[in-house]
């Protein structure tokens, strides 16, 4: 449940960011006139990346624990289908890991943007 909730939160955050990004690309200006948007982007990216990281850990550990329990139970007939099901869970968690990597890169970029708006940083 936690993994699904984290995936939904990450998707909603991304969908909420889309109108601001499209407007910025189309006009070259920010939608908000004050300096709150770089701050919001930075802290939002940090929060979502930490949530994704904890969701990934929970997903991998739960799948590994359930797989170990199934092998200890020794259910021969249903073990193969159960392993396939858990492998799909591991694959979904790996896709969430890819989302975490993208969010971590985005977090670094929003940090650069946040610092660039305030003062000249070492990155730009």
């Amino acid at each position: 449940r936690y993994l699904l909730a984290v995936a939904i939160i990450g998707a909603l955050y991304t969908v909420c960011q889309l109108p601001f990004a499209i407007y910025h690309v189309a006009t070259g200006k920010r939608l908000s006139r004050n300096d709150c948007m770089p701050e919001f982007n930075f802290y939002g990216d940090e929060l979502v990346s930490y949530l994704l990281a904890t969701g990934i850990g929970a997903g991998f550990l739960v799948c590994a624990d359930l797989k170990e329990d199934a092998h200890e139970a020794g259910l021969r007939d249903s073990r193969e289908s159960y392993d396939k099901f858990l492998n799909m869970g591991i694959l979904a968690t790996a896709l969430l890991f890819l989302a975490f990597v993208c969010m971590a890169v985005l977090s670094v970029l929003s940090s650069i943007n946040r610092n660039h708006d305030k003062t000249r940083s070492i990155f730009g």
Side-chain angles (χ1 to χ4, degrees):
R1 289 182 199 171
Y2 181 72
L3 181 65
L4 181 62
V6 165
I8 290 171
I9 289 170
L12 287 175
Y13 176 74
T14 303
V15 168
C16 289
Q17 288 289 328
L18 278 177
F20 298 109
I22 291 171
Y23 181 81
H24 183 67
V25 168
T27 63
K29 297 184 279 186
R30 295 194 189 281
L31 191 59
S32 64
R33 300 291 180 230
N34 54 11
D35 291 334
C36 72
M37 203 59 187
E39 295 288 324
F40 175 75
N41 287 338
F42 175 71
Y43 290 116
D45 293 345
E46 291 290 321
L47 178 69
V48 171
S49 65
Y50 287 135
L51 282 174
L52 287 173
T54 58
I56 292 163
F60 279 134
L61 288 175
V62 165
C63 287
D65 192 35
L66 289 175
K67 206 175 230 191
E68 184 179 315
D69 288 346
H71 287 294
E72 286 177 3
L75 303 173
R76 294 181 188 261
D77 295 336
S78 63
R79 185 170 57 187
E80 289 180 21
S81 62
Y82 195 66
D83 278 347
K84 285 182 183 179
F85 175 74
L86 289 176
N87 287 339
M88 287 191 303
I90 290 172
L91 180 64
T93 306
L95 289 174
L96 201 61
F97 178 74
L98 179 65
F100 165 72
V101 169
C102 292
M103 190 58 83
V105 169
L106 187 63
S107 178
V108 169
L109 293 176
S110 66
S111 170
I112 292 169
N113 187 30
R114 179 175 166 243
N115 288 335
H116 184 68
D117 286 347
K118 290 182 177 180
T119 61
R120 193 97 175 131
S121 68
I122 62 172
F123 294 110

